[in-house]
Structure formats: structure tokens, C-alpha cells
Amino acid sequence: WVGKDARIKADAIASDNGGKVIVWSDQATRMFGDISARGGVAGGNGGLVETSGHFLDVAGARVNAGAAKGRSGTWLLDPLDIIVVNGGTGALSDADAFDEKPMDTTSIDPSLLNSSNTNVLLQASNDITFSSPVNFASPGGSLTAQAGRHITVNAGITTAGGAITLSANHAGFATTANGSLAVNAPLLTKGGKLTASGYNLSFGVGSSAITGTGDMDLRSGYAFSLAPGAFLLAANYIDIMADSVTIDGTIGATGNRANVSFTPLAPSRGMSISSVKVQGDLSLTPDELNRIQGDGINIGSSASTGNINVLSDYTSNAGRTPSLVMETTGSIMVGAKLDLATNYGGTGSVLLGRYGDQAGNVQVVSGGTIKAGSIFVRSDDMDLSGALNAGAGGSITLMPQNGN
């Protein structure tokens, strides 16, 4: 128990980092006072404040781990379950200092997070739920939420340039094999990076993620889904790692044209472009690809070992994405039409690239066609019995994968 009039200070004096303050118990922890772990006025980073317990009450707490000339420190809140909701745990007068475990769920008023001049870390052994909006006032302040089971975002989260990290089924203390992250509201970082992960990662109807110049790193232990009406916007990179992908919403917009990459969590998993989803593959339909308005689409990477197959015609619609890259150490087969020229004035580009020494080849088989202003094929073994069409002013480049 730390009363509302108590003050704990671990501030640096001149040019040093703030200290460490831990308020912790095995059962119920109530911290209503003022804790400061600021960096020095002439230099140094903010320190660490930890408030932990199976049940945690921080109604009215004031925490400052900022820094005048360094990086903000961290406030760690670590109970069993967390719900961020207006009203929090109620009035201080209602709290019983000697009640060891009044409930399993700790409720936190978002105003405590909004006014905190520090990076906030929420850790829960079970679940974290955002039921009321969070809006960080401090520039650069970040929010990290890590749950052993599920995270559900039912109200918006906004930072002023700080990162947002949401990690369900968190590796450090996962209590289930399939803890999921469900985003059902807007996420806005104003330039900070968004990192989101869970066994299943879903952006529901009415949700969005906007990072401006910040990147997005979206990782699923199995399935990633973007519901109708949901959208992702970033100016640089959106990386999606999952073994199964469903895109019914939109990615990108004019002025927010990212490079969007898709890689399977299991490197050996196959990848495909097919109008009918291929069971067992990271499979994307032509319609899904045309829901992306970006600078480029990447499927696979130099770390992928599975094969990539183009089984259905894909024509990039006007104003969508003018570049397609497919990369793996396995084989690549084009058995249908890839057209990134018709709606781009004969420009657009397609790259098919193999890496490493693993046996495999690149095939554009009979009936397969690549149409783009720039066509680049890299493999030691090629079968180009199909058609490569770069137009009158385009280019076709063929090269070995190992440079010799």
C-alpha cells in the first residue's frame, strides 16, 4: 500500500539516468502516490518504475520517468489481467488496504496512461482489454502491451510519435498456445512504429492502423485477417508474416503507398497467387492483391524455402501497385498471366528471384505470361517456354542466382 500523499523519488541530479522504483507484492498492490525516476537535467535517460501484483490498483497514481535531454524511461504495470476503462478502480476511499485479492482483473483509467511522461509497459499473465480510448499527450511516449493469452482492442489507441507494441501469446509468459490479438478500433502512432503479434491477428470491421512514416510489423502464429472496411496506412513498410492471410479490407492509399511484404511464419510453407485459396499455402487471390495500393508487393524472401506458384491471372488495376517481387530459395512457377504493364502505360516491374544453393528453378511455363516494363529473373536454372513481354521500350534481365 502506497498512500495518495506518499512520494518516492529516484531522480538523477545532474547528468545521469533515473533510478529504479519497484512497488510489488505477491497478491494485492495499491499504489496511489507519486513516483519519480527522471533523468538528469543536463543529460541522461529516464529510469524504471514497476508496479506489480496479481491485483493492482493505481487509481490517481502519478508516475514520471521522463528525461529533459534523454530518452523517456518505462512504467511497468504487471497484474494478472488488465482492462483499460474509464473509471478505473473507483475512488480511493473505496479501497480496502487489507483485502489481499478482491478480484482477478485490474482496471486502469486511461487518464493515468495519457498523462504519464514515460513509456508504458502493460504485462498481464492472462488477458489485456482496451475498453476506453488511450491518447498519449507526451511526444514520443510509447505503449507496449504483453499478454500471456489474449489482447482485445475495443477502443482507439493514439500516441504522439511513440511506438505501439501489442503482443498476445507473448513468448515470455504465454499461458496458451493460441492467444490472439483482436483489433476492433483505430490505432494511430503519428510516426511511431506499430508492432502487433498473436497466434491469430485480426483487424475487425471499423478498425484501422495509421503510422505515417512509421513502419508496421504484423506477425501471426497462424492467421492474419483484415475485415471489410478495415484499413492499414503507412508511408514506408508494412510487413505481414503469417501462414494464412485474408484481406477483405484495404492496404494503402494515395500519399500512403508502402512496400507491402508477405512471408510465411514457417519458412518451408508454399506460397501462391490463386483465385481459389490453396490449402496449406500462404495463398493470396488476385482480388486481395488489388486491395493494396502501394509502391510494391513482395511475396516470400531470401529466408523462404517453400515454392511459389502463380496459378491464376493477376492484372494490377490502375492506381494499385506497379511492382511485384517473388523471392525464395525454392522454386518459382508462373502458370498464368502476370500483367503490371497494361494499367501503367507499359511500365511496372516483375522480379522473380531465387537465393542460395538449394535445388530448384524458375519456370514461366507454356500458358504463363509476364507483362511488365521491367522483367528480372534470377536463377541458375530457368525454363522460359511461356511469354515474357516488356514492350518496345522495356527491359528483360536474366542472371544466375549466385552471380557466376
Side-chain angles (χ1 to χ4, degrees):
W1 172 281
V2 178
K4 64 183 180 62
D5 296 320
R7 299 184 66 188
I8 303 173
K9 297 183 69 174
D11 297 338
I13 296 174
S15 56
D16 207 344
N17 298 330
K20 180 187 295 185
V21 177
I22 298 176
V23 179
W24 171 85
S25 74
D26 286 333
Q27 296 296 331
T29 298
R30 292 179 169 82
M31 206 296 287
F32 306 132
D34 187 309
I35 299 179
S36 178
R38 289 185 53 80
V41 295
N45 302 322
L48 170 68
V49 176
E50 177 181 349
T51 49
S52 299
H54 279 185
F55 170 77
L56 178 64
D57 189 347
V58 290
R62 289 85 62 200
V63 173
N64 189 338
K69 296 184 178 180
R71 297 188 301 274
S72 294
T74 299
W75 180 16
L76 166 62
L77 299 97
D78 185 17
L80 195 64
D81 292 271
I82 296 174
I83 180 171
V84 178
V85 62
N86 289 331
T89 52
L92 297 181
S93 59
D94 295 336
D96 177 359
F98 303 103
D99 187 356
E100 288 189 349
K101 192 176 180 183
M103 62 173 68
D104 288 333
T105 300
T106 293
S107 57
I108 299 173
D109 195 298
S111 64
L112 295 176
L113 310 182
N114 298 343
S115 60
S116 177
N117 186 23
T118 185
N119 301 312
V120 174
L121 172 57
L122 305 178
Q123 289 183 333
S125 299
N126 293 335
D127 305 326
I128 298 176
T129 302
F130 293 87
S131 295
S132 297
V134 174
N135 193 336
F136 273 42
S138 176
S142 66
L143 173 65
T144 299
Q146 299 170 338
R149 296 193 310 197
H150 312 294
I151 296 177
T152 304
V153 181
N154 291 328
I157 300 174
T158 301
T159 64
I164 295 176
T165 302
L166 305 172
S167 177
N169 202 39
H170 187 67
F173 41 89
T175 57
T176 179
N178 57 356
S180 298
L181 169 57
V183 180
N184 302 310
L187 304 176
L188 176 62
T189 69
K190 301 179 183 179
K193 182 177 181 179
L194 170 63
T195 303
S197 61
Y199 179 76
N200 290 309
L201 171 53
S202 64
F203 284 82
V205 175
S207 70
S208 62
I210 305 174
T211 59
T213 57
D215 297 334
M216 291 189 198
D217 186 355
L218 311 177
R219 298 187 177 221
S220 168
Y222 178 62
F224 170 88
S225 62
L226 187 67
F231 61 90
L232 309 177
L233 293 180
N236 294 320
Y237 295 96
I238 298 176
D239 298 324
I240 299 172
M241 177 178 283
D243 287 339
S244 173
V245 173
T246 302
I247 302 173
D248 292 316
T250 57
I251 300 176
T254 301
N256 285 277
R257 301 176 67 89
N259 285 287
V260 182
S261 69
F262 298 93
T263 54
L265 183 71
S268 61
R269 187 173 295 274
M271 295 154 277
S272 56
I273 296 175
S274 174
S275 57
V276 177
K277 293 282 189 175
V278 177
Q279 186 70 26
D281 274 10
L282 193 175
S283 189
L284 295 159
T285 70
D287 285 344
E288 287 178 321
L289 295 178
N290 272 315
R291 294 183 183 119
I292 300 170
Q293 186 172 356
D295 283 338
I297 295 172
N298 284 56
I299 299 174
S301 73
S302 60
S304 300
T305 60
N307 297 334
I308 303 175
N309 294 309
V310 179
L311 304 174
S312 298
D313 293 349
Y314 164 53
T315 298
S316 181
N317 293 340
R320 296 289 97 184
T321 307
S323 173
L324 174 65
V325 175
M326 295 187 287
E327 297 177 304
T328 182
T329 62
S331 293
I332 301 172
M333 189 279 294
V334 178
K337 179 177 69 175
L338 293 176
D339 184 351
L340 284 86
T342 297
N343 294 313
Y344 295 93
T347 62
S349 63
V350 173
L351 184 152
L352 312 178
R354 294 193 62 247
Y355 290 90
D357 297 323
Q358 180 176 318
N361 56 25
V362 170
Q363 300 180 75
V364 182
V365 300
S366 179
T369 301
I370 299 177
K371 185 177 181 181
S374 173
I375 300 172
F376 187 100
V377 181
R378 180 180 60 241
S379 179
D380 288 346
D381 184 353
M382 302 180 192
D383 173 1
L384 305 178
S385 52
L388 304 182
N389 182 359
S395 65
I396 298 174
T397 303
L398 309 177
M399 67 174 293
Q401 67 202 56
N402 291 312
N404 51 41

